[in-house]
Amino acid sequence: GLSRELVPKHVAIIMDGNRRWAKDKGLPSMAGHSAGARSLMKLVPLCCKWGIKVLTVYAFSTENWVRPQMEVDFLMKLIERMLTEELENFMRNGIRVSVIGESAKLPESVQKWVTKVTEATKNNPRLHLILAINYGGRNDIVQSCQSILHKVKDGLIKPEDVDETVICQELQTKCTEFPYPDLLIRTSGELRISNFLIWQLAYTEFYFDESLWPDFGEREFAKALHSFQRRQRRFGGQDA
Ligand SMILES: CC(C)CCOP(=O)(O)OP(=O)(O)O
Ligand SMILES: [Mg+2]
């Protein structure tokens, strides 16, 4: 079984395979995304049960804008629906919700709900669900550099004081006390991080699953956590 002390504090997930799942079933891509949203909501109570503190999911990347307008609109609607329909559930279950990524580019109504849900859930004590929406790892590093350069220009810090901690505090994952994922899961057999949390994944254990995201359920999640518990994390240090 899963030993509680070896449960990863912060799990990051690249949810992938929605369209392939739909295609395999002769359904439109949107059906795959709807199934994917349901898949995510099924994992939230499991994270609470198993004591995972932070779950960061790649919900929409800076590269996803190139998809057909209809699909982008549907994904935005899906995100808005999740924020509106699940708010009561988040409050009842003590789930905190934050969003990382460039929100300014999102539809006004989505931005409104992002602000509302972030504010309403900010003191919730249990799982911290971080939705990466219009997020890009390189963009995250660029914006943290810009923020630090402004502080240096304003004399708030000196260049020699800029260290890993300073950068970490400027990245968009500053919203959580556990900014570095212990485990990254990617579904659908793809073996790449697609401009997700580049800086933050430096010492993260990677787990790749063949299953398509809508099929990733409790059994698959438990398998990923068991795999994590069997790993010897050396962080580049002590002997084998
Ligand atoms: C937006 C994102 C969560 C969707 C992930 O699934 P996908 O659309 O990339 O599906 P495919 O990899 O099967 O095309
Ligand atoms: Mg994909």
Side-chain angles (χ1 to χ4, degrees):
L2 287 172
S3 58
R4 198 140 179 113
E5 63 282 358
L6 286 179
V7 165
K9 292 251 179 318
H10 183 165
V11 176
I13 301 182
I14 301 178
M15 311 181 287
D16 202 5
N18 291 351
R19 293 182 300 188
R20 278 166 280 171
W21 180 87
K23 192 155 164 271
D24 293 350
K25 293 180 174 350
L27 296 170
S29 297
M30 318 318 173
H33 294 316
S34 300
R38 286 195 295 277
S39 220
L40 169 58
M41 287 318 295
K42 273 185 274 181
L43 289 199
V44 168
L46 291 177
C47 289
C48 294
K49 185 170 89 175
W50 290 333
I52 291 167
K53 298 257 182 292
V54 183
L55 175 67
T56 301
V57 295
Y58 212 175
F60 193 89
S61 80
T62 43
E63 288 68 41
N64 287 148
W65 293 108
V66 299
R67 295 189 175 195
Q69 191 56 48
M70 193 176 67
E71 182 178 351
V72 170
D73 292 347
F74 184 83
L75 281 164
M76 288 297 141
K77 269 273 156 273
L78 206 50
I79 289 168
E80 184 176 340
R81 240 190 38 229
M82 189 176 130
L83 292 170
T84 53
E85 292 174 9
E86 298 297 342
L87 177 54
E88 195 268 330
N89 162 19
F90 293 141
M91 293 314 287
R92 189 168 11 90
N93 294 298
I95 313 282
R96 179 185 170 196
V97 179
S98 298
V99 170
I100 56 174
E102 296 308 304
S103 296
K105 204 177 166 191
L106 304 180
E108 283 291 319
S109 58
V110 176
Q111 292 186 46
K112 184 173 73 71
W113 278 99
V114 164
T115 309
K116 184 177 164 74
V117 174
T118 304
E119 186 55 31
T121 63
K122 71 182 179 195
N123 298 317
N124 286 354
R126 293 189 75 192
L127 176 74
H128 185 179
L129 175 62
I130 301 177
L131 304 172
I133 305 172
N134 192 28
Y135 179 84
R138 287 183 175 169
N139 172 275
D140 194 5
I141 293 171
V142 166
Q143 66 83 31
S144 73
C145 292
Q146 285 170 346
S147 168
I148 290 167
L149 288 166
H150 281 302
K151 287 186 175 171
V152 169
K153 192 165 70 69
D154 297 346
L156 298 173
I157 48 173
K158 296 193 295 294
E160 55 271 22
D161 294 333
V162 176
D163 60 9
E164 290 190 19
T165 307
V166 168
I167 293 180
C168 184
Q169 283 157 354
E170 296 294 344
L171 289 168
Q172 289 163 39
T173 38
K174 61 176 172 282
C175 60
T176 174
E177 62 176 306
F178 303 104
Y180 300 127
D182 302 288
L183 171 64
L184 169 74
I185 296 169
R186 182 165 189 159
T187 56
S188 87
E190 305 297 355
L191 305 176
R192 53 181 182 264
I193 68 170
S194 303
N195 195 23
F196 194 23
L197 300 160
I198 300 175
W199 172 280
Q200 298 89 333
L201 293 171
Y203 282 103
T204 301
E205 292 293 329
F206 286 16
Y207 178 87
F208 297 104
D209 194 300
E210 290 298 319
S211 58
L212 301 174
W213 176 245
D215 292 329
F216 191 85
E218 176 161 359
R219 235 172 43 80
E220 291 73 18
F221 196 26
K223 237 176 82 192
L225 295 179
H226 275 114
S227 167
F228 175 79
Q229 299 200 349
R230 286 197 296 272
R231 310 213 185 165
Q232 285 299 321
R233 297 178 77 190
R234 287 183 287 280
F235 297 94
Q238 77 266 17
D239 55 349

